[in-house]
């Protein structure tokens, strides 16, 4: 989400969980939620859609590996799933609310 709001320059490869301490530092730089929102700049729709498409493909690779009993040693399936969920919510996939967002592949 911080990437989509312009607080993080690029999404890292989905092989490890995010830098939680770094995220906390970014959020703590702002006194209020209103202050946080005032400096947020939503990325272009095309850039968000590109990342949603990419994570869909990574998720499919994870599903395919799981179905076929293969190891996924270049990505973290749990990181891929969480990112897929967040990006689907951002693009309003099937107009689903946060708690119901699916990660279809």
């Amino acid at each position: 989400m911080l990437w989509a709001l312009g607080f993080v320059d690029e999404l890292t490869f989905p092989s490890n969980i995010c830098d939680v301490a770094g995220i906390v530092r970014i959020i703590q730089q702002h006194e209020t939620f209103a202050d946080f929102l005032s400096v947020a700049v939503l990325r272009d729709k095309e850039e968000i859609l590109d990342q949603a498409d990419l994570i869909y493909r990574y998720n499919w690779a994870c599903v395919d590996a799981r179905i076929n009993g293969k190891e996924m040693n270049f990505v973290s399936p749990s990181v891929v799933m969480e990112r897929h969920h967040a990006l689907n919510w951002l693009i309003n996939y099937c107009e689903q609310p946060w708690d119901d967002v699916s990660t279809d592949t």
Side-chain angles (χ1 to χ4, degrees):
M1 296 300 179
L2 291 177
W3 169 81
L5 293 172
F7 291 101
V8 175
D9 291 332
E10 60 184 70
L11 286 174
T12 59
F13 189 75
S15 56
N16 297 302
I17 65 168
C18 62
D19 175 12
V20 176
I23 289 171
V24 170
R25 280 192 299 275
I26 290 169
I27 293 170
Q28 287 179 333
Q29 292 174 0
H30 307 281
E31 292 289 323
T32 64
F33 185 65
D35 178 42
F36 176 81
L37 284 181
S38 72
V39 294
V41 178
L42 186 62
R43 292 186 181 274
D44 291 335
K45 178 176 28 176
E46 293 79 15
E47 193 172 4
I48 294 171
L49 288 169
D50 284 346
Q51 286 298 319
D53 180 61
L54 179 61
I55 205 67
Y56 172 89
R57 293 167 190 270
Y58 282 134
N59 196 26
W60 173 246
C62 292
V63 169
D64 184 61
R66 187 177 67 244
I67 289 170
N68 293 298
K70 298 177 185 173
E71 291 270 333
M72 284 302 291
N73 28 355
F74 69 97
V75 298
S76 168
S78 62
V79 171
V80 169
M81 179 66 70
E82 292 299 328
R83 190 175 294 180
H84 194 187
H85 182 268
L87 286 162
N88 275 359
W89 180 78
L90 279 170
I91 65 172
N92 199 25
Y93 179 71
C94 295
E95 300 181 4
Q96 298 167 331
W98 178 263
D99 290 334
D100 299 324
V101 173
S102 62
T103 53
D104 304 331
T105 53

